[in-house]
Amino acid sequence: MHFSKELIALVAATLFSSSLASPLISRATAVNCSDPKTGVAPKCWNTLKVSDYMTNWKRLNFPTTCKEGEFWSTCFDRLATSNLKQDCTVLNSTNCAPFDPQFHYLSPQWYYGAHNTYTINQYLTTWSAALKHIHSTNPSIITSAAQPIDIDAFRAAHANSNAQGGPGASLVNIDIALANLIHLSGSNPQSDALLALLPIFKSFLTYDANAIEKANPPVADRLQIRLQQLVKHVESDVEGFLIMAGNGSFSVPEVVSSAGIVKGLSPEEGEVGSIE
């Protein structure tokens, strides 16, 4: 059987493009969901029924087992490995360390829950670093994303009387700018999970759509505040956490890098080095 050169080229191009479709594809090809030592994979979240496990854990252990005032994720992570310093509730946390799959966890579900507290924190932290870089090198990207165009439905979902100020008001919710930036960066399961959280955990941060050029620093500042709100909400509220983690989107070896996000937002920038 002979294939035309055109067909071979088309198949090769399709395979190549699909391999580059997302930097978040798990490299684990033979993962045993019941054994974290074999790797981590998105499919394992549902296979292990981790959402049910986490819901039941909260019901049985929080607040009876956790310390007074302790966030659920800090408590959960502390009990997972006895690491008293582990803290994934803030961006850029030096105490939010990856979880060693070689450690003996009480259950594979406990490992997946703890691993997701880390990867979600890392994902939002990489967004924070990427937006800081964009603001310093190409702020027009943020300015353009802050324009509330063709997203009336999203705006309505986030509307509140204080933020919108009635008909003709120019105050716009910060999640409009954030959602536009997420869309511009390219679609993948993790960005979809973050977009799903925004209408549920609504923001009251706003900016003036009629003065975006002058207000670009405040827009950038509000984006950073919003990302910190999101990481704190997810790490302190199991329900919010499950919206992000619930389909295995963050059950991956590593999340997209800040350089990858910048590349998606600003493809003309070329190769992007390490971003702190």
PDB file of all heavy atoms in Angstrom, residues 133-152:
ATOM      1  N   HIS A 133       5.668  40.294  34.214  1.00  0.00           N
ATOM      2  CA  HIS A 133       6.596  40.426  33.095  1.00  0.00           C
ATOM      3  C   HIS A 133       5.944  41.183  31.933  1.00  0.00           C
ATOM      4  O   HIS A 133       6.553  42.093  31.354  1.00  0.00           O
ATOM      5  CB  HIS A 133       7.032  39.037  32.629  1.00  0.00           C
ATOM      6  CG  HIS A 133       7.961  39.054  31.454  1.00  0.00           C
ATOM      7  ND1 HIS A 133       9.308  39.283  31.576  1.00  0.00           N
ATOM      8  CD2 HIS A 133       7.729  38.884  30.116  1.00  0.00           C
ATOM      9  CE1 HIS A 133       9.876  39.252  30.385  1.00  0.00           C
ATOM     10  NE2 HIS A 133       8.946  39.016  29.480  1.00  0.00           N
ATOM     11  N   ILE A 134       4.715  40.815  31.606  1.00  0.00           N
ATOM     12  CA  ILE A 134       3.988  41.482  30.518  1.00  0.00           C
ATOM     13  C   ILE A 134       3.807  42.963  30.824  1.00  0.00           C
ATOM     14  O   ILE A 134       3.978  43.829  29.958  1.00  0.00           O
ATOM     15  CB  ILE A 134       2.613  40.819  30.302  1.00  0.00           C
ATOM     16  CG1 ILE A 134       2.781  39.449  29.629  1.00  0.00           C
ATOM     17  CG2 ILE A 134       1.689  41.707  29.481  1.00  0.00           C
ATOM     18  CD1 ILE A 134       3.222  39.504  28.188  1.00  0.00           C
ATOM     19  N   HIS A 135       3.480  43.279  32.063  1.00  0.00           N
ATOM     20  CA  HIS A 135       3.265  44.675  32.442  1.00  0.00           C
ATOM     21  C   HIS A 135       4.533  45.503  32.281  1.00  0.00           C
ATOM     22  O   HIS A 135       4.483  46.679  31.901  1.00  0.00           O
ATOM     23  CB  HIS A 135       2.770  44.757  33.877  1.00  0.00           C
ATOM     24  CG  HIS A 135       2.624  46.158  34.394  1.00  0.00           C
ATOM     25  ND1 HIS A 135       1.875  47.111  33.757  1.00  0.00           N
ATOM     26  CD2 HIS A 135       3.148  46.766  35.488  1.00  0.00           C
ATOM     27  CE1 HIS A 135       1.938  48.257  34.432  1.00  0.00           C
ATOM     28  NE2 HIS A 135       2.714  48.066  35.478  1.00  0.00           N
ATOM     29  N   SER A 136       5.675  44.891  32.536  1.00  0.00           N
ATOM     30  CA  SER A 136       6.933  45.635  32.447  1.00  0.00           C
ATOM     31  C   SER A 136       7.491  45.693  31.030  1.00  0.00           C
ATOM     32  O   SER A 136       8.253  46.608  30.696  1.00  0.00           O
ATOM     33  CB  SER A 136       7.978  45.013  33.378  1.00  0.00           C
ATOM     34  OG  SER A 136       8.315  43.698  32.956  1.00  0.00           O
ATOM     35  N   THR A 137       7.123  44.713  30.185  1.00  0.00           N
ATOM     36  CA  THR A 137       7.717  44.658  28.841  1.00  0.00           C
ATOM     37  C   THR A 137       6.752  45.010  27.719  1.00  0.00           C
ATOM     38  O   THR A 137       7.176  45.541  26.685  1.00  0.00           O
ATOM     39  CB  THR A 137       8.278  43.252  28.567  1.00  0.00           C
ATOM     40  OG1 THR A 137       7.206  42.286  28.639  1.00  0.00           O
ATOM     41  CG2 THR A 137       9.365  42.902  29.572  1.00  0.00           C
ATOM     42  N   ASN A 138       5.472  44.706  27.888  1.00  0.00           N
ATOM     43  CA  ASN A 138       4.501  44.949  26.826  1.00  0.00           C
ATOM     44  C   ASN A 138       3.132  45.247  27.435  1.00  0.00           C
ATOM     45  O   ASN A 138       2.188  44.465  27.284  1.00  0.00           O
ATOM     46  CB  ASN A 138       4.415  43.730  25.903  1.00  0.00           C
ATOM     47  CG  ASN A 138       3.769  44.050  24.567  1.00  0.00           C
ATOM     48  OD1 ASN A 138       3.202  45.134  24.387  1.00  0.00           O
ATOM     49  ND2 ASN A 138       3.826  43.106  23.640  1.00  0.00           N
ATOM     50  N   PRO A 139       2.999  46.355  28.158  1.00  0.00           N
ATOM     51  CA  PRO A 139       1.764  46.650  28.897  1.00  0.00           C
ATOM     52  C   PRO A 139       0.533  46.808  28.014  1.00  0.00           C
ATOM     53  O   PRO A 139      -0.599  46.709  28.506  1.00  0.00           O
ATOM     54  CB  PRO A 139       2.095  47.961  29.623  1.00  0.00           C
ATOM     55  CG  PRO A 139       3.209  48.566  28.835  1.00  0.00           C
ATOM     56  CD  PRO A 139       4.012  47.410  28.328  1.00  0.00           C
ATOM     57  N   SER A 140       0.717  47.017  26.717  1.00  0.00           N
ATOM     58  CA  SER A 140      -0.443  47.172  25.833  1.00  0.00           C
ATOM     59  C   SER A 140      -1.280  45.895  25.778  1.00  0.00           C
ATOM     60  O   SER A 140      -2.472  45.944  25.461  1.00  0.00           O
ATOM     61  CB  SER A 140       0.011  47.546  24.421  1.00  0.00           C
ATOM     62  OG  SER A 140       0.808  46.519  23.850  1.00  0.00           O
ATOM     63  N   ILE A 141      -0.675  44.751  26.083  1.00  0.00           N
ATOM     64  CA  ILE A 141      -1.429  43.498  26.104  1.00  0.00           C
ATOM     65  C   ILE A 141      -2.480  43.546  27.204  1.00  0.00           C
ATOM     66  O   ILE A 141      -3.634  43.152  27.012  1.00  0.00           O
ATOM     67  CB  ILE A 141      -0.478  42.302  26.309  1.00  0.00           C
ATOM     68  CG1 ILE A 141       0.402  42.132  25.073  1.00  0.00           C
ATOM     69  CG2 ILE A 141      -1.261  41.022  26.586  1.00  0.00           C
ATOM     70  CD1 ILE A 141       1.429  41.030  25.206  1.00  0.00           C
ATOM     71  N   ILE A 142      -2.090  44.060  28.376  1.00  0.00           N
ATOM     72  CA  ILE A 142      -3.042  44.200  29.476  1.00  0.00           C
ATOM     73  C   ILE A 142      -4.088  45.255  29.134  1.00  0.00           C
ATOM     74  O   ILE A 142      -5.280  45.083  29.386  1.00  0.00           O
ATOM     75  CB  ILE A 142      -2.318  44.547  30.790  1.00  0.00           C
ATOM     76  CG1 ILE A 142      -1.450  43.367  31.234  1.00  0.00           C
ATOM     77  CG2 ILE A 142      -3.315  44.920  31.881  1.00  0.00           C
ATOM     78  CD1 ILE A 142      -0.642  43.632  32.484  1.00  0.00           C
ATOM     79  N   THR A 143      -3.644  46.347  28.524  1.00  0.00           N
ATOM     80  CA  THR A 143      -4.567  47.415  28.131  1.00  0.00           C
ATOM     81  C   THR A 143      -5.621  46.889  27.174  1.00  0.00           C
ATOM     82  O   THR A 143      -6.822  47.168  27.331  1.00  0.00           O
ATOM     83  CB  THR A 143      -3.794  48.569  27.457  1.00  0.00           C
ATOM     84  OG1 THR A 143      -2.843  49.083  28.381  1.00  0.00           O
ATOM     85  CG2 THR A 143      -4.747  49.679  27.055  1.00  0.00           C
ATOM     86  N   SER A 144      -5.204  46.106  26.187  1.00  0.00           N
ATOM     87  CA  SER A 144      -6.148  45.559  25.215  1.00  0.00           C
ATOM     88  C   SER A 144      -7.096  44.560  25.856  1.00  0.00           C
ATOM     89  O   SER A 144      -8.300  44.551  25.573  1.00  0.00           O
ATOM     90  CB  SER A 144      -5.376  44.880  24.067  1.00  0.00           C
ATOM     91  OG  SER A 144      -4.581  45.814  23.368  1.00  0.00           O
ATOM     92  N   ALA A 145      -6.566  43.723  26.728  1.00  0.00           N
ATOM     93  CA  ALA A 145      -7.401  42.708  27.384  1.00  0.00           C
ATOM     94  C   ALA A 145      -8.417  43.342  28.313  1.00  0.00           C
ATOM     95  O   ALA A 145      -9.463  42.740  28.605  1.00  0.00           O
ATOM     96  CB  ALA A 145      -6.523  41.728  28.155  1.00  0.00           C
ATOM     97  N   ALA A 146      -8.126  44.550  28.792  1.00  0.00           N
ATOM     98  CA  ALA A 146      -9.037  45.222  29.725  1.00  0.00           C
ATOM     99  C   ALA A 146     -10.233  45.855  29.026  1.00  0.00           C
ATOM    100  O   ALA A 146     -11.151  46.345  29.690  1.00  0.00           O
ATOM    101  CB  ALA A 146      -8.284  46.290  30.512  1.00  0.00           C
ATOM    102  N   GLN A 147     -10.236  45.845  27.696  1.00  0.00           N
ATOM    103  CA  GLN A 147     -11.367  46.400  26.955  1.00  0.00           C
ATOM    104  C   GLN A 147     -12.538  45.431  27.009  1.00  0.00           C
ATOM    105  O   GLN A 147     -12.425  44.294  26.561  1.00  0.00           O
ATOM    106  CB  GLN A 147     -10.978  46.649  25.488  1.00  0.00           C
ATOM    107  CG  GLN A 147      -9.881  47.677  25.302  1.00  0.00           C
ATOM    108  CD  GLN A 147     -10.372  49.100  25.553  1.00  0.00           C
ATOM    109  OE1 GLN A 147     -11.565  49.339  25.689  1.00  0.00           O
ATOM    110  NE2 GLN A 147      -9.451  50.044  25.607  1.00  0.00           N
ATOM    111  N   PRO A 148     -13.677  45.850  27.559  1.00  0.00           N
ATOM    112  CA  PRO A 148     -14.835  44.946  27.694  1.00  0.00           C
ATOM    113  C   PRO A 148     -15.598  44.824  26.380  1.00  0.00           C
ATOM    114  O   PRO A 148     -16.663  45.399  26.190  1.00  0.00           O
ATOM    115  CB  PRO A 148     -15.666  45.623  28.780  1.00  0.00           C
ATOM    116  CG  PRO A 148     -15.372  47.081  28.609  1.00  0.00           C
ATOM    117  CD  PRO A 148     -13.932  47.163  28.165  1.00  0.00           C
ATOM    118  N   ILE A 149     -15.075  44.043  25.443  1.00  0.00           N
ATOM    119  CA  ILE A 149     -15.690  43.900  24.126  1.00  0.00           C
ATOM    120  C   ILE A 149     -16.175  42.461  23.935  1.00  0.00           C
ATOM    121  O   ILE A 149     -15.439  41.503  24.202  1.00  0.00           O
ATOM    122  CB  ILE A 149     -14.675  44.246  23.019  1.00  0.00           C
ATOM    123  CG1 ILE A 149     -14.187  45.689  23.194  1.00  0.00           C
ATOM    124  CG2 ILE A 149     -15.280  44.052  21.629  1.00  0.00           C
ATOM    125  CD1 ILE A 149     -13.081  46.080  22.244  1.00  0.00           C
ATOM    126  N   ASP A 150     -17.412  42.335  23.454  1.00  0.00           N
ATOM    127  CA  ASP A 150     -17.984  41.032  23.104  1.00  0.00           C
ATOM    128  C   ASP A 150     -18.025  40.052  24.272  1.00  0.00           C
ATOM    129  O   ASP A 150     -17.931  38.844  24.072  1.00  0.00           O
ATOM    130  CB  ASP A 150     -17.209  40.409  21.939  1.00  0.00           C
ATOM    131  CG  ASP A 150     -17.313  41.232  20.680  1.00  0.00           C
ATOM    132  OD1 ASP A 150     -18.347  41.899  20.511  1.00  0.00           O
ATOM    133  OD2 ASP A 150     -16.360  41.222  19.889  1.00  0.00           O
ATOM    134  N   ILE A 151     -18.125  40.552  25.483  1.00  0.00           N
ATOM    135  CA  ILE A 151     -18.238  39.648  26.635  1.00  0.00           C
ATOM    136  C   ILE A 151     -19.363  40.127  27.549  1.00  0.00           C
ATOM    137  O   ILE A 151     -19.243  40.115  28.765  1.00  0.00           O
ATOM    138  CB  ILE A 151     -16.911  39.555  27.407  1.00  0.00           C
ATOM    139  CG1 ILE A 151     -16.292  40.935  27.602  1.00  0.00           C
ATOM    140  CG2 ILE A 151     -15.933  38.631  26.740  1.00  0.00           C
ATOM    141  CD1 ILE A 151     -15.038  40.910  28.426  1.00  0.00           C
ATOM    142  N   ASP A 152     -20.478  40.545  26.951  1.00  0.00           N
ATOM    143  CA  ASP A 152     -21.597  41.050  27.739  1.00  0.00           C
ATOM    144  C   ASP A 152     -22.116  39.991  28.711  1.00  0.00           C
ATOM    145  O   ASP A 152     -22.498  40.310  29.842  1.00  0.00           O
ATOM    146  CB  ASP A 152     -22.725  41.501  26.814  1.00  0.00           C
ATOM    147  CG  ASP A 152     -22.335  42.746  26.022  1.00  0.00           C
ATOM    148  OD1 ASP A 152     -21.412  43.459  26.470  1.00  0.00           O
ATOM    149  OD2 ASP A 152     -22.940  42.986  24.971  1.00  0.00           O
TER     150      ASP A 152
END
